[in-house]
Amino acid sequence: DIDWDLLALKLWSQCNDEKAFLSHYPPAYHPDGTFGPRNYNWHKVKEFMKNGIPKLNSGSLGKKDAPTAPIRNPFMAGGCFFTKADTVRKVPYDPYIYFEGEETSYAVRLFTHGYNGYTPTEPFLYHLYYNVEHGRARHFEDNNDYHEKNRTSFARIRHMLSIEQCANPLYMTEYEKYKLGSFRTLEQFEHFSGVYFKEQKLTQRAKDGDYANIK
């Protein structure tokens, strides 16, 4: 048992950064009452998917081997995202992004608006991942319009990441409201993350998620 809110605030305060957000893929829980280990989990990049968007996964260490303070990381995860409410007011989620690529696109937008991601040294929440045994349907399994939502989403993300420019206005509704910020550039994100979108290149740093000493 933990006081998740007090732990989240403590970890956020350890960042010593008013523009900080905490994010990682949290451990799993299951409705039968079992929980995954409370490990230190950090973001890594596995590969580029066919749509050109990076696929993220996690590295993991036991608690005794975890860092003593949150470490910078360029990415975010929808299953664990803790920050000041003002962050999402100033950088709102793009409602035209469907699912795949949502985390990378929002991470880049946050970065270019001047916000900084950190990996928490320990989890403060659990996540119910897809569990077929309990019949938990995913949206695209019972919604007929997900193909068009995906097309819109991929076109916007690929345009934003300079993978492929989109001139179709059907896919660019309100794009100006949800575009990159002007505090940092996409190129600066690529340098920090080691992920080069147009070239579809991953550095070893990105594959390892080794961001401890990167400025």
Side-chain angles (χ1 to χ4, degrees):
D1 293 336
I2 60 171
D3 292 320
W4 72 268
D5 49 351
L6 297 179
L7 177 57
L9 287 168
K10 173 186 173 183
L11 293 169
W12 186 85
S13 297
Q14 287 177 350
C15 299
N16 194 30
D17 181 353
E18 287 295 312
K19 292 289 189 75
F21 65 86
L22 297 171
S23 190
H24 68 164
Y25 289 126
Y29 81 89
H30 298 281
D32 63 8
T34 59
F35 294 83
R38 291 180 49 76
N39 286 349
Y40 170 71
N41 301 323
W42 72 94
H43 283 118
K44 304 193 297 182
V45 186
K46 183 178 180 180
E47 61 191 2
F48 283 100
M49 297 180 285
K50 290 182 179 179
N51 54 33
I53 300 168
K55 182 177 181 62
L56 305 182
N57 61 1
S58 288
S60 187
L61 289 173
K63 187 173 180 180
K64 67 180 179 64
D65 297 315
T68 57
I71 291 176
R72 281 289 308 277
N73 189 291
F75 300 104
M76 65 81 64
C80 176
F81 177 63
F82 184 84
T83 185
K84 295 170 69 174
D86 192 55
T87 303
V88 292
R89 293 192 189 106
K90 292 183 176 178
V91 190
Y93 253 77
D94 183 345
Y96 300 96
I97 302 299
Y98 181 52
F99 178 69
E100 210 168 72
E102 160 258 336
E103 294 172 332
T104 298
S105 64
Y106 194 47
V108 176
R109 289 180 58 224
L110 287 166
F111 180 90
T112 59
H113 279 85
Y115 293 91
N116 305 309
Y118 292 83
T119 305
T121 57
E122 60 181 302
F124 48 86
L125 57 81
Y126 294 86
H127 183 68
L128 179 60
Y129 293 95
Y130 177 65
N131 191 331
V132 68
E133 297 170 9
H134 294 89
R136 184 169 181 256
R138 293 173 289 188
H139 186 273
F140 56 81
E141 292 175 325
D142 56 6
N143 283 265
N144 295 327
D145 62 346
Y146 85 91
H147 289 293
E148 185 58 30
K149 290 181 182 296
N150 259 343
R151 279 191 286 270
T152 299
S153 184
F154 294 158
R156 292 171 77 88
I157 295 172
R158 289 167 63 83
H159 180 91
M160 187 187 73
L161 300 180
S162 294
I163 298 170
E164 181 181 40
Q165 295 300 294
C166 178
N168 188 336
L170 292 176
Y171 296 149
M172 302 300 286
T173 303
E174 294 189 297
Y175 179 77
E176 288 296 309
K177 185 177 179 181
Y178 304 106
K179 64 181 183 179
L180 299 179
S182 57
F183 186 85
R184 299 186 184 113
T185 65
L186 176 63
E187 289 73 22
Q188 286 175 299
F189 181 90
E190 291 178 320
H191 172 74
F192 178 48
S193 67
V195 178
Y196 294 86
F197 299 107
K198 190 174 183 62
E199 295 86 355
Q200 298 285 278
K201 173 186 172 184
L202 297 177
T203 65
Q204 194 60 48
R205 180 171 74 251
K207 295 175 183 178
D208 295 339
D210 184 12
Y211 299 108
N213 300 308
I214 303 300
K215 301 296 183 183

